[in-house]
Amino acid sequence: MHTDLVAALDIGGTKIAGALVDGHGSILVRAQRATPAQKDGDTVMRAVEEVLGELIASPLWGRVTALGIGSAGPVDASTGTVSPVNVPGWRGYPLVERARAVVGGLPVRLIGDGVAIAAAEHWQGAARGHDNALCMVVSTGVGGGLILGGRLHPGPTGNAGHIGHISVDLDGDPCPCGSRGCVERIASGPSIARRALADGWRPGPDGDTSAAAVAAAARAGDPAALASFERAARALAAGIAATAALVEIDIAVIGGGVGKAGDILLAPLRKALADYATLSFARHLTVVPARTGTDAGLVGAAAAVLTARMDATAGV
Amino acid sequence: MHTDLVAALDIGGTKIAGALVDGHGSILVRAQRATPAQKDGDTVMRAVEEVLGELIASPLWGRVTALGIGSAGPVDASTGTVSPVNVPGWRGYPLVERARAVVGGLPVRLIGDGVAIAAAEHWQGAARGHDNALCMVVSTGVGGGLILGGRLHPGPTGNAGHIGHISVDLDGDPCPCGSRGCVERIASGPSIARRALADGWRPGPDGDTSAAAVAAAARAGDPAALASFERAARALAAGIAATAALVEIDIAVIGGGVGKAGDILLAPLRKALADYATLSFARHLTVVPARTGTDAGLVGAAAAVLTARMDATAGV
């Protein structure tokens, strides 16, 4: 029996990945190009077209019913345009219109990359079975997405769940976004490394100053490294607690490179969450590591179109 | 033609108000009792029963199809219980079960009072026509509720929109809720007055140290009074910006006694919002005063059952 497939694109500052995905979340066909991030907008689009071209060339293409796109943000689902911070050639770029022309008029849905990760974790990962969840990526930046009432909550423009840029320290350090004391400014990998260095941590002979190196030092007991992870944990906890107070969530899922630091991050995070998530309806909140891997962006983009169709069907 | 009515209860620490409300939001019958807030739980419930008894005695009662309850929080809509901070006799009190017994088994819906205000502002007030809105009450405390995707978002327990207890200053002053640097701890009326006094503001001969008196002093140019409102405005702006980043809203509605301070609060709030709401999808966010008045709690409790029925109908 031939069941429907969807096409998925995961567009980031480094690579453009594409896939055909079935209703179980299995990836049947893959394509990928490096993102020509410093080139003009149409050159970037040609890389997208090449990825889509490989998918279209598959004998399975005839079963594809829709295209889901998860893109580095900000995106604007209401206009079908994208303006990824790391792709300067795309500013208000009409990605949805261009992609739709390539795929012969199939329905296309655009969401932010954090929203896509949330869709993947809800469908296949640690948020499965949870109707109200925050899924985060803690890495070079801090992103996220929300599941509310059992459904993906992309918001009108596809950017909801932007926990990296909520201020948890209104007098804090300026953030490149223009605000102050943002979660990302305190808890991203580069922020963790910068603070550890400023407080006296020194890298080993390999000169590695990544957050992973700080995590290794913290595991070995380095006080500045430990303090920097604790500070990041407090910022994440305040952000997660704010989310719980605002929309009621019962689980927060942490992925991304810094999320992989494990208990060096999660232990102080759970402790700090007890300090900040004090309201009766927020106290049961749990924090767990993400379960989806490097394909989360693709799987999530597929989930966004598969669940949109399920929602539409349920609404008839 | 006889159209359906709903019954509404607005339960606070000072009074218990009840009404019969029609499909246009008009209040046709009213009843009210003082809240015997320091008495045992069953005594408080008797006051609720007296209010409901007056409504039931109305010749219009036969047209009532449901009861909506907005209560001081925390509430738990999932269990039908309430634990209002200012009513110590009610801890996990089975309000929905008790009320349902009084109204002869009609459907009963429970929401928090902030959620009720949001329902009222969306139905009849400043958030009308806005599909994504945060409605706040800035008063002795700071509460709120959310409209998302055109619908009330009470969350699973009826407490969503608790903007007063998100931390915008993770190292800030301890809040009675157990957390630190909460919006309420900085922007509530008593917080505004306390900070103005600490910074050198002195009340007039009447000894009035309310936030309204601080607002009057600010209008007359008192620097400590102005600075205290500016600080409150920054905390509110950081909280509103966080909400916009997390769920995407296009309007924030400010009600309550402090909200009535007008431009003394709103002018610095709009200025601070430009500092904190920097993401592309949050920059168009507007802040406006609430339009519903003292009946907002009743009207909102009615709206919550009226819209629940509309949603259910739409879902068939």
Side-chain angles (χ1 to χ4, degrees), chain A residues 157 161 170-171 246 248 276, chain B residues 157 159 161 170 231 246 248 276:
Chain A
T157 72
L170 81 174
D171 303 313
L246 283 171
E248 295 197 22
Y276 291 102
Chain B
T157 72
N159 290 293
L170 80 175
R231 186 73 183 158
L246 282 170
E248 295 197 22
Y276 291 102

Side-chain angles (χ1 to χ4, degrees), chain A residues 16 20 48 56 88 107 114 125 141 156 161 213 237-238 252 260 283 295 309:
Chain A
I16 295 164
L20 302 186
V48 173
I56 290 170
K260 289 196 180 71
R283 278 201 295 258
D295 287 333
R309 289 158 59 214

Side-chain angles (χ1 to χ4, degrees), chain A residues 74 132 146 153-154 156-162 168-171 177-179 231 234 243 245-248 275-276 278 280-281, chain B residues 74 132 146 153-154 156-162 168-171 177-179 231 234 245-248 275-276 278 280-281:
Chain A
N132 298 280
L146 288 168
H153 181 79
T157 72
N159 289 293
H162 246 80
V168 290
D169 184 6
L170 81 174
D171 303 313
C177 78
S179 182
R231 185 72 184 160
R234 281 173 67 87
T243 307
L246 283 171
V247 294
E248 295 197 22
D275 294 337
Y276 291 102
T278 59
S280 58
F281 60 94
Chain B
N132 298 280
L146 288 168
H153 181 79
T157 72
N159 290 293
H162 246 78
V168 290
D169 183 6
L170 80 175
D171 304 312
C177 78
S179 182
R231 186 73 183 158
R234 282 175 66 87
L246 282 170
V247 293
E248 295 197 22
D275 294 337
Y276 291 102
T278 60
S280 58
F281 59 93

